[in-house]
Amino acid sequence: LVTRQNVYDDETFFQPYQAMRATRSGINEAVEQPAVRALLPPLLGVSAVDLGCGDGELCRELLAGGAASVMGVDPSAKMLDLARQRTDDERATYIQAFAEDVHLPPDSIDLVASSLAFHYIEDMATLLRHIAGWLRPGGTMVASMEHPIRTSAPDRRADDLYGVDDYAAEGRRDTSWYRDGVVKYHRRISTIVNTVLDAGLVIRRVDEPVPTEASRRERPDLERHVRRPALLVVAADKPR
Ligand SMILES: C[S@@+](CC[C@H](N)C(=O)[O-])C[C@H]1O[C@@H](n2cnc3c(N)ncnc32)[C@H](O)[C@@H]1O
């Protein structure tokens, strides 16, 4: 049985999550966004999908870069409320759905982007096969996710730098993040890489981004992400 959780619609989670995002105290601006942006293809005229779009920040950037259309997908009504409030652009569409339930015509999309949502996906193999089907030949997927070093044993304290455990025991983790019972999925790096390849995509780049020098000077708390990785980012193309 596939379990899907919509924790971002739980007020006890949503409130502190939004407070973190509003104060930019997470790793989004300092680590995640620059790494994903660096791997995006040229945006002019592309049709794009953002899986787990949240408040639509990446969607708006894709539009600002000249995308012809952007579809943001997210299961959370609260996140999509923010996305709709913050996006004033006819080229944007927001759909309330889990990524696993999205169906799009084959060979219809130039770019599938996803920021920090893949670790919520139980069946990544099926999703990646869908993505490979939606992409036009030459199209690109860029996805960031929590690093397997982090997802292996999430209950270890965040400052425990030797917190890797149960690495080969892939699957569900019930974690505590603003509340108990936040469900994430752990996969080995090799599994992630091989699942992308098995879907028929060609990996162009893999990144384990670290905070920029400037952000480390401003925020000493980011130093721990230099000592052990927070994120894995994969860019892969559909063969022409
Ligand atoms: C960490 S937030 C990131 C939001 C946004 N991508 C960003 O970077 O600002 C993760 C998002 O993934 C969404 N999400 C969770 N499970 C999902 C699923 N199965 N399919 C699509 N999105 C999902 C959540 O509702 C949430 O908005």
Side-chain angles (χ1 to χ4, degrees):
L1 186 75
V2 175
T3 325
R4 291 182 194 156
Q5 187 185 47
N6 180 10
V7 74
Y8 288 74
D9 270 351
D10 175 349
E11 196 61 29
T12 57
F13 179 94
F14 182 76
Q15 282 284 342
Y17 177 78
Q18 285 307 328
M20 178 274 285
R21 294 304 300 265
T23 53
R24 301 162 77 94
S25 55
I27 55 172
N28 305 78
E29 291 79 11
V31 188
E32 198 268 346
Q33 293 174 353
V36 166
R37 302 321 181 253
L39 294 173
L40 292 175
L43 296 173
L44 195 62
V46 302
S47 62
V49 173
D50 179 358
L51 298 174
C53 65
D55 85 332
E57 185 172 3
L58 178 59
C59 294
R60 288 186 294 282
E61 285 189 35
L62 299 177
L63 293 167
S69 67
V70 177
M71 179 192 287
V73 176
D74 203 289
S76 162
K78 287 180 187 290
M79 295 297 265
L80 290 177
D81 280 349
L82 289 179
R84 292 191 177 108
Q85 283 163 29
R86 293 175 180 176
T87 312
D88 180 16
D89 195 309
E90 286 178 349
R91 296 169 294 163
T93 323
Y94 290 110
I95 308 281
Q96 187 178 4
F98 291 99
E100 300 92 316
D101 295 331
V102 173
H103 294 283
L104 295 167
D107 299 348
S108 62
I109 303 294
D110 300 301
L111 169 65
V112 175
S114 183
S115 276
L116 295 170
F118 271 27
H119 48 268
Y120 296 114
I121 306 288
E122 180 171 13
D123 183 356
M124 198 168 88
T126 300
L127 178 63
L128 282 166
R129 279 199 302 275
H130 289 172
I131 291 171
W134 307 334
L135 285 174
R136 292 199 175 101
T140 292
M141 178 195 77
V142 182
S144 70
M145 61 209 84
E146 285 191 10
H147 198 285
I149 281 180
R150 298 287 299 280
T151 55
S152 69
D155 288 342
R156 299 292 186 94
R157 284 175 34 233
D159 57 357
D160 177 355
L161 295 169
Y162 303 95
V164 177
D165 201 353
D166 296 326
Y167 186 71
E170 300 190 330
R172 176 174 168 153
R173 301 288 191 270
D174 289 22
T175 74
S176 293
W177 190 37
Y178 301 128
R179 52 156 262 189
D180 288 340
V182 177
V183 177
K184 297 178 182 175
Y185 293 92
H186 166 68
R187 289 170 270 263
R188 293 179 291 167
I189 295 181
S190 52
T191 299
I192 293 167
V193 165
N194 291 330
T195 307
V196 174
L197 295 173
D198 289 347
L201 299 174
V202 176
I203 293 180
R204 171 161 48 85
R205 205 81 189 157
V206 174
D207 196 7
E208 295 165 294
V210 294
T212 57
E213 288 283 340
S215 59
R216 280 160 65 190
R217 270 194 301 276
E218 253 170 61
R219 284 183 50 192
D221 63 298
L222 293 172
E223 195 61 32
R224 66 182 190 276
H225 302 303
V226 180
R227 300 188 65 190
R228 56 115 176 80
L231 299 175
L232 184 68
V233 187
V234 179
D237 302 325
K238 179 162 170 173
R240 283 181 196 278

